[in-house]
Amino acid sequence: MNKEARLKATINQKLTETGERERLKELLRAKLTECGWKDQMKAQCKEVIKEKGLEHVTVEDLVVEITPKGRALVPDSVKKELLQRIRAFLTQHAS
Amino acid sequence: MKMEEVSMSSLDNSKLEALAQDILSDLVEDACLGLCFEVHRAVKQGYFFLDDTDQESMRDFEIVDEPGLDVFGQVYNQWKNKECVCPNCSRSIAASRFAPHLEKCLGMGRNSSRIANRRIVTGNNTNNKSESDQEDNDDVNDNDWSYGAEKKAKKRKSDKVIVINLFSYNKG
């Protein structure tokens, strides 16, 4: 493993250990709901369901359709805020 | 095997930024997957479309935005000009004056008792009141013939009002 990969692994471990990962997840979820992203994505899901049929739609169907759109539709402000928190965490946990 | 602590200062900012973006990417992916699972479960358990209303009902209950109407489509100053017939004196009274009129007409409520008391003390004629409460007034207020007792009567007015109100409540 090179330096970067080791760093990444260490950071990920610290994120989980300190509980920051959970907090960041919750924060992201809250922000996405607040800004209407969740409702937007639900509407997209409805399309997929209508397409595939209520009885036959699978998780895979949804994931394949929704994930790329979901990533693209995250508002910049939300991204900025999360990145700020992450950067703060990174600089704080410089060993 | 203990993992080597890697120092941050040995990496430049762009690498840190890339790392931050990676982490963000993971988090977003997590959120998307979470949503997919949530939706899928809702679909399979049958509650996904539960909060939707059909188009027809949506149109029925649409918010009304016209002058003179409230959001439900009702006329809101409809009762301003209506007149009601008093069941006691059979007079036609304007709607907004109806409640105070009833109070005086039936002889119930705080104000009508006070007015009745005042009139008794000053010896005025009060023909329009209902009889029952006036009798109570007479019983309780024995010093209505002496003018000097006016002050006392006024001071005890609050007591009397409470007593009379109790009488009214008892009578229903």
Side-chain angles (χ1 to χ4, degrees):
Chain A
M1 260 215 237
N2 63 9
K3 231 187 206 176
E4 275 170 57
R6 258 186 307 186
L7 174 63
K8 188 167 181 188
T10 314
I11 285 295
N12 279 329
Q13 191 182 5
K14 280 216 171 134
L15 275 172
T16 314
E17 275 170 8
T18 57
E20 185 68 8
R21 169 163 271 131
E22 273 308 307
R23 282 191 288 271
L24 287 170
K25 272 195 205 175
E26 280 311 307
L27 179 65
L28 180 60
R29 221 160 276 188
K31 291 279 158 189
L32 288 175
T33 311
E34 235 176 67
C35 71
W37 176 92
K38 191 170 179 186
D39 295 323
Q40 253 183 313
M41 298 317 296
K42 266 194 170 175
Q44 293 285 338
C45 292
K46 280 189 194 162
E47 295 300 308
V48 176
I49 293 166
K50 287 195 179 123
E51 201 188 327
K52 304 277 176 178
L54 195 67
E55 298 294 314
H56 303 110
V57 68
T58 64
V59 181
E60 204 54 43
D61 289 333
L62 289 170
V63 168
V64 157
E65 297 275 343
I66 295 301
T67 310
K69 289 193 189 131
R71 285 172 168 285
L73 287 173
V74 177
D76 283 336
S77 55
V78 175
K79 279 192 205 162
K80 274 203 182 117
E81 195 171 334
L82 264 293
L83 278 174
Q84 243 180 333
R85 281 270 299 246
I86 296 169
R87 280 189 214 117
F89 183 83
L90 290 177
T91 45
Q92 193 192 356
H93 285 79
S95 42
Chain B
M1 193 161 71
K2 188 171 178 257
M3 247 189 199
E4 256 182 64
E5 294 283 3
V6 182
S7 139
M8 291 287 197
S9 51
S10 61
L11 293 169
D12 53 47
N13 268 343
S14 67
K15 299 247 170 66
L16 273 184
E17 189 60 29
L19 184 55
Q21 291 284 356
D22 263 349
I23 296 173
L24 179 66
S25 189
D26 279 344
L27 289 170
V28 169
E29 171 117 16
D30 201 81
C32 291
L33 278 179
L35 181 70
C36 289
F37 280 117
E38 209 182 291
V39 168
H40 183 258
R41 184 167 203 272
V43 165
K44 293 303 173 187
Q45 296 286 62
Y47 61 82
F48 186 62
F49 289 110
L50 219 54
D51 52 358
D52 286 349
T53 343
D54 61 302
Q55 271 296 82
E56 173 101 15
S57 309
M58 289 291 273
R59 261 176 300 165
D60 282 344
F61 297 116
E62 233 178 295
I63 290 180
V64 177
D65 184 17
E66 283 166 51
L69 298 179
D70 63 19
V71 287
F72 297 112
Q74 295 164 351
V75 188
Y76 58 80
N77 51 6
Q78 204 177 20
W79 309 107
K80 261 195 210 166
N81 311 320
K82 285 242 160 129
E83 288 192 344
C84 321
V85 177
C86 173
N88 206 42
C89 61
S90 304
R91 277 200 293 170
S92 190
I93 313 286
S96 46
R97 300 300 312 158
F98 191 51
H101 164 80
L102 258 191
E103 239 192 338
K104 300 201 174 57
C105 191
L106 294 175
M108 295 168 77
R110 283 188 301 172
N111 288 327
S112 58
S113 310
R114 285 207 197 107
I115 294 172
N117 273 335
R118 258 194 295 134
R119 288 187 185 164
I120 286 167
V121 168
T122 58
N124 274 347
N125 224 351
T126 49
N127 284 335
N128 288 345
K129 292 273 167 64
S130 98
E131 309 313 303
S132 52
D133 281 355
Q134 270 192 295
E135 275 166 343
D136 292 342
N137 288 355
D138 285 342
D139 285 345
V140 173
N141 190 358
D142 270 337
N143 50 357
D144 55 353
W145 64 78
S146 59
Y147 291 111
E150 245 180 75
K151 275 194 186 165
K152 251 197 243 168
K154 282 209 175 129
K155 263 197 199 158
R156 282 173 40 202
K157 215 163 67 147
S158 45
D159 296 335
K160 273 183 268 160
V161 171
I162 294 167
V163 173
I164 287 160
N165 277 343
L166 287 172
F167 272 97
S168 314
Y169 287 176
N170 283 342
K171 295 219 165 139

